[in-house]
Amino acid sequence: MRFGAAVLRSYQGTFTLEEVALNAGPAADEVLVRIAGCGMCRTDLAVRRSAGRSPLPAVLGHEGAGVVVETGGPDPRLSVGDHVVLSFDSCGHCHTCLGGAPAYCDSFADLNLFGGRKENAARFTDASGIPLAPRWFGQSSFAEYAVVPARNAVRVDPALPLELLGPLGCGFLTGAGAVFNTFRAGPGDAICVLGAGAVGLAAVMAAAAAGAVVVAVDQHPERLALAERFGAIPLYGTGSLPERIKQLTDGGVQYALDTTASPELINDALRALRPTGHLGLVARLRAMLPLEPGTLDRGRRLSHICEGDAVPGLLIPRLTELWRAGRFPFDQLIRTYPLDEINEAERDCEAGRVVKPVLIPRTEMEHA
């Protein structure tokens, strides 16, 4: 089977739209999905900063949504014609997977970032027969089609706007999951969100939906305006942050979510926590994190949160129902681009001109 895909051939190069080949159909536990839309996530772009770790050439993309067009065998979970949102891959049988924490799968890095499943190594090639890296996050959904493990495909209502749902599988899942799953925030809780990008704004929406008081910190007025629209108290992120957060929240926040990986902001958030408060980090730290004495006293906690501590099959349906109710308007963060404009989408994302780009393949436009 041949179809169009955006291929990244070098860590510094641009994406090229090419014809690629799938040399074997779905196995017994897999499905073939026609991609309706795929979000562009910062993790896709971070490949450029991790040269030598994530193998190239590759088809990236891990916020896909589409329609099942073929199954590898009878499966009670999915059928041809089902609309699905695709999320991250996991082994399904390690201690953490069996414990309901697939984002902490023992094989998460191998399956999603550094090579995928060994049995898939030669299944995906370019037009010349050169192998492409096995499926990125079990998807490689910057493409017209993707073969994915049935476990990472979450069935959704066909009445929903399928082409916009892909970011629910990662970026929006991460922000909302931190609020709903990690913090379990509720009415009366106070939350501070550092960074009003896609993950941060999803956390803001979730906090507002949970009835919490939420403060959003950023240095971009237009992002703060979005956060305020979604229910946050906007706070421009310079100077005396802990004191200003405490003033806005009657003494401090119970929860804080950092999406910036800035050591300075992380320490500010720790100083703004109430006793027993919890600060969650979702971005990978790229520098040492010195902690001031006393910041973790009195029961305060600091942890890393992967994929919103979510079981995608449980959280994604919850988010779509909140969207229907007008309480999680994630579609207001999205700008769509044809797949062949992927490099423009990346430039706009890096420059902050768009919160969440979503790429629409040609095949989806033909089916529209």
Side-chain angles (χ1 to χ4, degrees):
M1 178 182 183
R2 293 181 177 273
F3 52 88
V7 179
L8 187 67
R9 293 193 169 275
S10 73
Y11 298 107
Q12 296 78 32
T14 59
F15 291 92
T16 57
L17 199 66
E18 303 180 20
E19 183 181 77
V20 300
L22 180 66
N23 301 314
D29 61 345
E30 297 174 329
V31 292
L32 175 66
V33 176
R34 186 183 77 243
I35 298 297
C38 181
M40 176 176 280
C41 178
R42 292 285 180 179
T43 303
D44 296 308
L45 307 183
V47 167
R48 300 187 184 283
R49 298 191 295 274
S50 60
R53 300 188 70 192
S54 298
L56 297 182
V59 177
L60 303 178
H62 66 285
E63 291 185 340
V67 179
V68 176
V69 296
E70 184 181 348
T71 66
D75 191 315
R77 294 170 293 186
L78 296 171
S79 303
V80 171
D82 282 347
H83 287 207
V84 291
V85 173
L86 309 180
S87 196
F88 55 88
D89 200 0
S90 57
C91 75
H93 53 73
C94 70
H95 179 78
T96 49
C97 283
L98 293 175
Y104 304 97
C105 172
D106 289 352
S107 302
F108 186 91
D110 287 339
L111 292 176
N112 292 285
L113 300 170
F114 304 143
R117 298 173 184 269
K118 291 181 175 62
E119 63 268 25
N120 296 327
R123 291 175 63 185
F124 200 26
T125 61
D126 67 13
S128 301
I130 297 172
L132 299 170
R135 295 167 306 187
W136 176 250
F137 277 78
Q139 300 180 38
S140 289
S141 48
F142 286 162
E144 294 174 347
Y145 291 86
V147 172
V148 304
R151 186 174 50 258
N152 27 320
V154 178
R155 183 165 47 200
V156 294
D157 188 336
L160 295 166
L162 183 62
E163 71 281 3
L164 303 183
L165 299 184
L168 295 178
C170 184
F172 298 159
L173 178 99
T174 297
V179 172
F180 291 142
N181 299 326
T182 311
F183 299 153
R184 299 186 182 274
D189 286 329
I191 301 177
C192 176
V193 177
L194 303 172
V199 174
L201 288 169
V204 165
M205 294 180 197
V213 174
V214 55
V215 176
V217 178
D218 205 292
Q219 294 187 357
H220 300 281
E222 65 277 6
R223 295 291 177 92
L224 288 176
L226 275 174
E228 186 173 21
R229 182 199 304 175
F230 300 137
I233 301 168
L235 185 58
Y236 192 75
T238 57
S240 304
L241 272 180
E243 292 74 18
R244 289 190 290 154
I245 292 169
K246 289 178 179 179
Q247 289 173 0
L248 293 170
T249 57
D250 193 26
V253 294
Q254 186 65 30
Y255 307 110
L257 183 69
D258 177 74
T259 71
T260 70
S262 162
E264 181 181 0
L265 287 176
I266 290 169
N267 273 287
D268 282 343
L270 285 170
R271 288 195 294 271
L273 285 180
R274 295 173 180 169
T276 74
H278 184 179
L279 169 61
L281 313 180
V282 297
R284 184 181 182 189
L285 293 173
R286 297 187 178 276
M288 293 292 291
L289 177 61
L291 297 179
E292 296 183 4
T295 51
L296 291 179
D297 289 354
R298 303 189 69 195
R300 296 181 179 89
R301 288 174 290 159
L302 172 65
S303 72
H304 178 260
I305 302 169
C306 186
E307 300 287 358
D309 284 338
V311 176
L314 298 178
L315 184 55
I316 290 171
R318 181 179 181 183
L319 297 181
T320 60
E321 289 308 302
L322 285 171
W323 177 80
R324 287 186 202 268
R327 299 172 63 198
F328 193 75
F330 66 88
D331 55 309
Q332 295 182 30
L333 304 180
I334 289 172
R335 182 191 301 174
T336 60
Y337 299 75
L339 180 60
D340 59 11
E341 294 180 10
I342 185 171
N343 293 304
E344 179 183 349
E346 180 180 5
R347 288 190 294 270
D348 287 349
C349 185
E350 292 283 35
R353 290 188 289 267
V354 59
V355 177
K356 176 59 69 173
V358 168
L359 300 157
I360 310 295
R362 172 177 49 83
T363 48
E364 175 61 18
M365 296 177 181
E366 291 171 353
H367 280 87

